[in-house]
Structures are given as C-alpha cells and as structure tokens.
Amino acid sequence: MNEEEFDKMMEERYKDGSNFVRYGEDDFENKRAIDRNNIIPFARDPTIWKVKCMVGRERNLAFCLMQKYVDLKSLGTKLQIISAFALDHIKGCIYIEADKQFDIIEACKGLTTIYSSRIATVPKNEVSHLLSSRITRNEVSEGSWARVKNGKYKGDLAQIVAVNDARKRATVKLIPRIDLQAMTAKFGGGVSLKKNSTPAPRLISTSELEEFRPLIQYRRDRDTNKLFEVLDGLMLKDGYLYKKVSIDSLSCSGVMPSEEELLKFKSSENNETDDLEWLTQNFKA
C-alpha cells in the first residue's frame, strides 16, 4: 500500500458519520436513548387499566388478584391478566395490566370491594409518569403540625416541639387520652380492667392530678429543656401530654388543623411553669 492509498483509507475510515469514530458525548446520548426506551411504552405493550375500588383496600386487592392468579394456575386455569398493582399516592383505585377489558371483569369476579364496572384505560403517554418513582419527604420541624399514624392517638393532631435527628425521634404535644379512673384503680390497689374504648381527648387540669401528687415526679427533659410532671411514665405539662415518638410514626405532609383543634392547642393563660419550678425546689430541699 503506497502513501496515497493509505491516506485515502484513513479519510474513508474517519470521515463524518463513520462507525470508527466515537466521541465521549456519543456514549451519553446512547445511554439516554436506552433509558428512554426502557420507560416509553410500545404500541404492542398490554394496556394498563385503572379500576375503581374501596378506599384503603388498594394494596389488599392487588395482593388478592395475585393470589387468585396463583391459585387458579395450580388448578390448570389461568387468569388473563399480566399484573396488578396499587400506588400509595393514588387512593380509591388499582391498576391491572391486561389485553382486554373482559379479562379484567373476569379476574375481579368474587372481589366485593372492587368495582369492575368502573374501568378506564391509562393513556400510553401517561404510563411512564404513572410508573416513575416518587420520593416523598416527611418534613419534620419544631412548631409544625402532624398526625399520629397509629396507636391510641391514631389520627390525632400533634404539635412537634423538639426533633432529635440523630435518633430520628420527635417530641410531640398532644391532647391527652388518659383514663384517670383506671389510673386511680391501678394505684389504689384495685383491679385495672382493660377497656375496649379509647378515652376521649381532653386537657387534664391541675386539680385532677392532686390525688396523684405523691406519685408525681418532676423532671426536666433534655430535648425540650422543659420541666414536666411525670406520672406513670407520662410527661404532662399545662394539661397536655408530651410524647417521644419515632418520626416515621408521624404524618407531616399537608396537615391542616381545624379551628376547633387549634383552639385546643392555644397556650394556657394560667402559667403553671413557675408553680412547677417552686415545687421542684421544695422537693430538693
């Protein structure tokens, strides 16, 4: 090969559009194209159907459909659906992947909390958005409002008074649900009977605690730097209950207290802090 032939070969090999030439940005563009193709549905993909159901039963229904699929398959019958799933941020419906609406109706037979007559297809251009991951942050800050997720105070309004990020815990202020009669029976030597009903929320006055005064300890909390009356492990102050809870046990997103709830959390005009400080000094003496 002479010099002229070599130059011609190099020119052909490395001209614009040649497969021999690769640039750094080419890999990036190719990767983006692959990522887009992974989430963009094709025309041949099965249809995703949105099916109305009872609120709060979304996950359970998706599981029931999967279990029904497995049970029928073991008997030699196959449900004509491909998948079923629920989304945490969308209430009152589940999503089923199938080719035909008739297949959805057949699969939902026997499930009373799903309304198979209320079905709609999810447009192809909305599928990628529907299945995209969502990151929700439970913003917790002092002074903000939250709802308790579980336990005796489930659904109750709580005000966050301190946050311990290291331990992922928060101190919250609540309207107490304390049965003082049951507590009297407990400390009076009587038999404490378990009650199925949860006590109604109400503030506890100082006079109601008088009979428990010998049992009450006075303790300053590190996280809030407040002085509390502690009775049977319960932190009480100005009629309110203060609890240390896991941040994950609180729902803080979009909490809008009612006017009635806000009135109950209005600071007491009777400043009992000085009284507690005075009592503490007497106990130390």
Side-chain angles (χ1 to χ4, degrees), residues 166-260:
R167 296 186 177 183
K168 296 188 181 300
R169 296 183 69 80
T171 305
V172 297
K173 178 181 177 181
L174 295 157
I175 306 295
R177 290 182 180 270
I178 300 174
D179 189 340
L180 291 179
Q181 290 183 345
M183 193 171 288
T184 300
K186 175 181 177 180
F187 290 110
V191 179
S192 180
L193 299 176
K194 291 186 177 180
K195 295 185 178 181
N196 294 327
S197 60
T198 301
R202 67 180 186 87
L203 297 179
I204 297 177
S205 65
T206 303
S207 59
E208 290 179 289
L209 295 177
E210 284 303 318
E211 62 178 302
F212 302 103
R213 195 61 62 188
L215 303 170
I216 292 176
Q217 297 178 325
Y218 297 91
R219 190 181 306 161
R220 187 174 295 280
D221 178 62
R222 291 182 180 180
D223 293 330
T224 61
N225 198 33
K226 293 179 182 291
L227 189 67
F228 291 98
E229 294 177 292
V230 181
L231 173 62
D232 196 26
L234 303 173
M235 296 168 56
L236 303 170
K237 183 176 178 63
D238 300 338
Y240 298 95
L241 172 70
Y242 288 73
K243 282 176 66 73
K244 294 184 182 294
V245 299
S246 167
I247 290 176
D248 292 335
S249 69
L250 299 173
S251 177
C252 304
S253 178
V255 176
M256 297 291 290
S258 65
E259 290 185 13
E260 183 181 355

Side-chain angles (χ1 to χ4, degrees), residues 5 12 27 29 54 62 75 88 100-101 105 107 129 135 143-144 150 159-161 172 182 195 202 213 215 232 240 252:
E5 290 174 337
E12 286 293 326
D27 292 333
E29 289 299 326
M54 184 181 291
L75 298 174
D88 290 338
K100 302 175 183 178
Q101 182 173 343
I105 296 172
H129 175 71
I135 300 175
S144 61
N150 44 47
Q159 187 175 30
I160 298 170
V161 295
V172 297
K195 295 185 178 181
R202 67 180 186 87
R213 195 61 62 188
L215 303 170
D232 196 26
Y240 298 95
C252 304

Side-chain angles (χ1 to χ4, degrees), residues 50-232:
K50 182 179 181 180
V51 187
K52 288 288 185 180
C53 69
M54 184 181 291
V55 175
R57 304 290 293 175
E58 299 87 357
R59 281 177 171 268
N60 179 265
L61 285 169
F63 176 80
C64 286
L65 282 170
M66 290 188 288
Q67 188 63 50
K68 187 176 181 179
Y69 181 94
V70 173
D71 292 342
L72 289 179
K73 187 177 181 181
S74 65
L75 298 174
T77 306
K78 183 180 178 182
L79 282 182
Q80 298 301 314
I81 63 173
I82 299 167
S83 66
F85 58 93
L87 300 174
D88 290 338
H89 61 282
I90 299 179
K91 305 298 181 184
C93 66
I94 66 169
Y95 295 88
I96 303 175
E97 191 178 10
D99 288 318
K100 302 175 183 178
Q101 182 173 343
F102 176 77
D103 298 333
I104 305 289
I105 296 172
E106 286 295 309
C108 294
K109 283 184 177 179
L111 301 177
T112 57
T113 53
I114 192 168
Y115 314 125
S116 56
S117 60
R118 302 173 65 183
I119 303 176
T121 59
V122 177
K124 295 288 186 182
N125 60 349
E126 294 182 12
V127 171
S128 58
H129 175 71
L130 181 71
L131 300 178
S132 61
S133 60
R134 294 190 172 203
I135 300 175
T136 56
R137 295 182 179 179
N138 204 16
E139 295 292 342
V140 179
S141 58
E142 293 182 17
S144 61
W145 299 103
R147 298 277 180 192
V148 181
K149 290 183 180 179
N150 44 47
K152 181 193 293 187
Y153 293 89
K154 182 178 180 180
D156 284 7
L157 183 68
Q159 187 175 30
I160 298 170
V161 295
V163 180
N164 190 324
D165 292 320
R167 296 186 177 183
K168 296 188 181 300
R169 296 183 69 80
T171 305
V172 297
K173 178 181 177 181
L174 295 157
I175 306 295
R177 290 182 180 270
I178 300 174
D179 189 340
L180 291 179
Q181 290 183 345
M183 193 171 288
T184 300
K186 175 181 177 180
F187 290 110
V191 179
S192 180
L193 299 176
K194 291 186 177 180
K195 295 185 178 181
N196 294 327
S197 60
T198 301
R202 67 180 186 87
L203 297 179
I204 297 177
S205 65
T206 303
S207 59
E208 290 179 289
L209 295 177
E210 284 303 318
E211 62 178 302
F212 302 103
R213 195 61 62 188
L215 303 170
I216 292 176
Q217 297 178 325
Y218 297 91
R219 190 181 306 161
R220 187 174 295 280
D221 178 62
R222 291 182 180 180
D223 293 330
T224 61
N225 198 33
K226 293 179 182 291
L227 189 67
F228 291 98
E229 294 177 292
V230 181
L231 173 62
D232 196 26

